[in-house]
Amino acid sequence: MTERESEAQEDRKPQSDEARSAFTQPIGVVSPPSVPEEEASTTSEFSLPQGLSVQAPEAPDVEGSAFTPPKTYSTRQSPPAFTPAHGIPMVKLTKEAPWQDRMRTMLRLPVAERPAPEPVQKEDDAGPAVPRVLDLTLRIGELLLAGGEGAEDVEAAMFAVCRSYGLDRCEPTVTFTLLSITFQPSLVDDPVTASRTVRRRGTDYNRLAAVFRLVDDISDEDIDVTLEEAYRRLAEIRRNRHPYPGWALTGASGLLAGSASILVGGDLLVFIAAAIGAMLGDRLAWLCAGRGFPEFYQFTMAAMPPAAIGILLTLAHDHVNVQASAVITGGLFALLPGRALVAGVQDGLTGFYITASARLLEVMYFFVGIVVGVLIMLYVGVQLNAKLNPEAALQGGPEPWWQIGASMSLSLAFAVLLQQERSTVLAVTLNGGVAGTIFGAMHYEGGISPVASTAAAAGLVGLFGQLFSRYRFASALPYVTAAIGPLLPGSATYFGLLAIAQNDVDKGMVSLSKAAALALAIAIGVNLGGEISRLFIRSPGAANRRAAKRTRGF
């Protein structure tokens, strides 16, 4: 008998009396049916009656990624978070005004008071990829800031890109080297912040204009620019070659210096000498840049050749009768950082004080580099007994037609050095002629102070430059920066440095202070002209334009 059969027989054996319960059911009484153990458990008297259906509780929200758009997000109609008690001002974002003015109006409103977005670019219901939109925005802002654009215009461009792709609750922030942008989907969602650092700067207004066209197309409701298309166009902009070769830039620096020497009373020989000095300085600066020298030393080396040529002509005064001061002054015109100065003062006037301080500090370093280079050569000339006379200030100016022609050629050369588009060169050349004409008429003919004459001429340059840029939906820098070239304080800078080199520090500081006043007059005049231009432009929200009210210094 196997073990399994023995176990089965044991199971069939009757239980013993000890194993039986004392409370067995009496004979003749029918016992109720047995209940399974699962159903025999005690139930609560508050249990729901059988047949009543109850909705299952919702599953708790699982914390998702910060890059995931919220459930209520829609690119076509984004609901506002809340409505303030005093209501939301109506700002009509149509094509009746350039996108720069539209976006600047929006940025000047608090986030809670901005109207509902009007997305331009079509996306699916899930919305665009938030990180990619922020990354595209930062890359566009980086190119604009590196090209010398003002902080307010960079913020307007960044906000325009975000808003066109449906991200309206964005706050762009621009400083001298850092760009950041924060997007908050709603009041209950975590914000998303991204940043980017500007490592290199370059003066390429051709690239700057291409970036502005890209932003204009993204902001246009009639043009569909997807994220991939925007990335592709941005990559092409980065790969674009400069419109002018290296030899053209060197020739432009010579033309600029020669034209500046004509402006301060030079003749043909002075024109040639100043041009040669500026071209030598330009090649020397390129050599230093190729060796990795900082820009301070590049400016120092570039300022030496024009000053050296002026000293050599002074030493050869017995054989050559040349006005050396005009040669050195013309060489300085090509080096003075007018672009950075205008951008710095503009940032300060528009409330970007950190960026303005950094830009003006950069201008100071460049100017000190020029001072060091010129002073080294002037000290050498003093030791060689060169008859450099600070009393021989440049008297009067050239003939009116020469004044206008030299101003236009100087602006033309400046536009080439800034790598501007060829289609904008004619406009900026005419704008430079306006600057030379106004300054000559007010200062030489009218006897008005040079500071007031410079401010008035710069104001007209800024006015016409802003009107040109709004007409073409482009940046104002290509139409303004090169046109202020004839107004740069080259002669005041030179005579101040010459007086310091001859131990007349007091007189030198007075002349340098005059140069600083002229530079500030240029920057303030350009900015004021831009503000006046808004009177001729139909800008949305101009009647309710807000600004900080600080009339008592606190």
Side-chain angles (χ1 to χ4, degrees):
M1 182 180 297
T2 62
E3 295 182 1
R4 184 172 300 177
E5 293 176 352
S6 62
E7 291 177 359
Q9 289 182 359
E10 290 178 0
D11 292 337
R12 290 195 297 269
K13 288 182 180 180
Q15 295 181 350
S16 61
D17 295 338
E18 292 81 7
R20 297 176 182 176
S21 172
F23 300 97
T24 57
Q25 188 73 19
I27 299 174
V29 178
V30 180
S31 60
S34 60
V35 181
E37 294 184 4
E38 296 83 12
E39 299 180 5
S41 59
T42 305
T43 58
S44 172
E45 60 182 355
F46 298 103
S47 60
L48 296 175
Q50 195 173 16
L52 180 63
S53 61
V54 180
Q55 186 177 1
E58 296 183 0
D61 293 336
V62 181
E63 183 177 359
S65 172
F67 298 106
T68 305
K71 297 178 180 179
T72 59
Y73 178 81
S74 173
T75 58
R76 307 180 192 280
Q77 186 177 6
S78 177
F82 63 94
T83 303
H86 52 79
I88 298 178
M90 180 179 178
V91 179
K92 190 176 181 181
L93 299 179
T94 62
K95 299 174 67 175
E96 63 186 10
W99 64 264
Q100 298 101 310
D101 295 320
R102 287 182 280 147
M103 295 303 109
R104 190 180 291 111
T105 302
M106 297 299 299
L107 282 174
R108 286 170 177 167
L109 293 174
V111 178
E113 297 182 7
R114 294 173 187 168
E118 300 173 7
V120 176
Q121 304 305 323
K122 307 299 185 295
E123 296 287 343
D124 55 8
D125 293 335
V130 175
R132 290 182 60 80
V133 174
L134 298 184
D135 179 70
L136 175 67
T137 303
L138 290 174
R139 290 178 183 272
I140 290 176
E142 177 190 10
L143 288 181
L144 293 176
L145 187 62
E149 190 63 71
E152 186 178 29
D153 290 328
V154 175
E155 284 195 356
M158 294 172 65
F159 186 75
V161 174
C162 285
R163 190 175 179 85
S164 298
Y165 287 107
L167 309 184
D168 64 311
R169 299 181 63 84
C170 286
E171 281 295 339
T173 304
V174 177
T175 58
F176 185 58
T177 58
L178 182 65
L179 297 165
S180 64
I181 186 166
T182 301
F183 168 64
Q184 188 171 11
S186 65
L187 294 177
V188 297
D189 289 293
D190 295 331
V192 184
T193 302
S195 62
R196 194 173 184 88
T197 303
V198 179
R199 300 294 182 184
R200 292 187 58 187
R201 287 181 172 80
T203 54
D204 189 347
Y205 283 0
N206 183 35
R207 177 181 296 176
L208 189 70
V211 176
F212 261 78
R213 281 195 297 270
L214 174 59
V215 177
D216 184 40
D217 290 343
I218 293 175
S219 306
D220 194 344
E221 60 184 7
D222 298 330
I223 302 177
D224 186 13
V225 182
T226 62
L227 278 175
E228 299 302 327
E229 176 69 14
Y231 268 106
R232 184 188 63 79
R233 291 180 57 178
L234 195 62
E236 290 179 355
I237 292 173
R238 286 181 175 274
R239 290 194 299 264
N240 279 347
R241 297 177 60 87
H242 298 313
Y244 307 103
W247 62 266
L249 299 180
T250 302
S253 63
L255 177 61
L256 192 154
S259 302
S261 65
I262 297 296
L263 280 177
V264 294
D267 52 13
L268 179 60
L269 188 57
V270 171
F271 178 93
I272 296 174
I276 293 175
M279 287 189 290
L280 290 176
D282 180 76
R283 288 293 92 191
L284 194 58
W286 275 99
L287 181 63
C288 294
R291 298 297 186 271
F293 281 88
E295 288 183 309
F296 176 85
Y297 301 105
Q298 296 177 28
F299 274 82
T300 301
M301 300 302 293
M304 288 184 176
I309 291 179
I311 292 171
L312 291 177
L313 293 176
T314 303
L315 293 174
H317 67 280
D318 295 334
H319 305 283
V320 181
N321 186 15
V322 176
Q323 194 175 6
S325 58
V327 175
I328 301 176
T329 300
L332 291 179
F333 265 80
L335 300 176
L336 294 177
R339 172 185 58 87
L341 176 67
V342 171
V345 175
Q346 180 181 358
D347 288 341
L349 293 176
T350 53
F352 295 85
Y353 299 114
I354 296 178
T355 307
S357 302
R359 288 187 190 271
L360 294 178
L361 185 62
E362 182 186 39
V363 171
M364 187 191 72
Y365 272 104
F366 290 164
F367 190 77
V368 170
I370 298 172
V371 168
V372 171
V374 175
L375 280 180
I376 290 175
M377 301 311 300
L378 291 181
Y379 277 123
V380 172
V382 170
Q383 297 301 320
L384 296 176
N385 295 323
K387 296 181 180 179
L388 299 168
N389 186 12
E391 300 292 339
L394 303 175
Q395 300 295 331
E399 295 295 328
W401 292 111
W402 283 104
Q403 175 91 13
I404 298 174
S407 299
M408 295 177 66
S409 63
L410 191 151
S411 299
L412 171 64
F414 212 160
V416 174
L417 287 175
L418 292 174
Q419 301 282 359
Q420 291 190 195
E421 287 183 306
R422 298 179 182 179
S423 60
T424 64
V425 171
L426 177 60
V428 75
T429 301
L430 296 176
N431 208 9
V434 170
T437 302
I438 298 300
F439 178 81
M442 294 183 64
H443 179 55
Y444 296 121
E445 301 297 331
I448 302 175
S449 68
V451 176
S453 303
T454 299
L460 283 179
V461 167
L463 173 62
F464 292 146
Q466 289 287 342
L467 293 179
F468 274 131
S469 67
R470 293 304 191 270
Y471 175 75
R472 300 192 61 176
F473 290 84
S475 171
L477 285 180
Y479 300 97
V480 171
T481 306
I484 64 172
L487 306 176
L488 293 175
S491 59
T493 303
Y494 163 69
F495 285 112
L497 298 179
L498 179 58
I500 294 176
Q502 294 181 344
N503 294 325
D504 194 352
V505 179
D506 294 337
K507 189 172 184 179
M509 294 305 297
V510 170
S511 185
L512 290 180
S513 300
K514 177 183 177 182
L518 291 173
L520 289 177
I522 293 173
I524 295 175
V526 168
N527 182 264
L528 181 60
E531 294 296 328
I532 294 176
S533 68
R534 303 182 195 281
L535 300 177
F536 303 95
I537 300 173
R538 192 177 179 184
S539 176
N544 297 324
R545 182 179 174 184
R546 299 185 177 185
K549 185 177 180 181
R550 296 180 59 183
T551 57
R552 297 177 178 84
F554 55 85

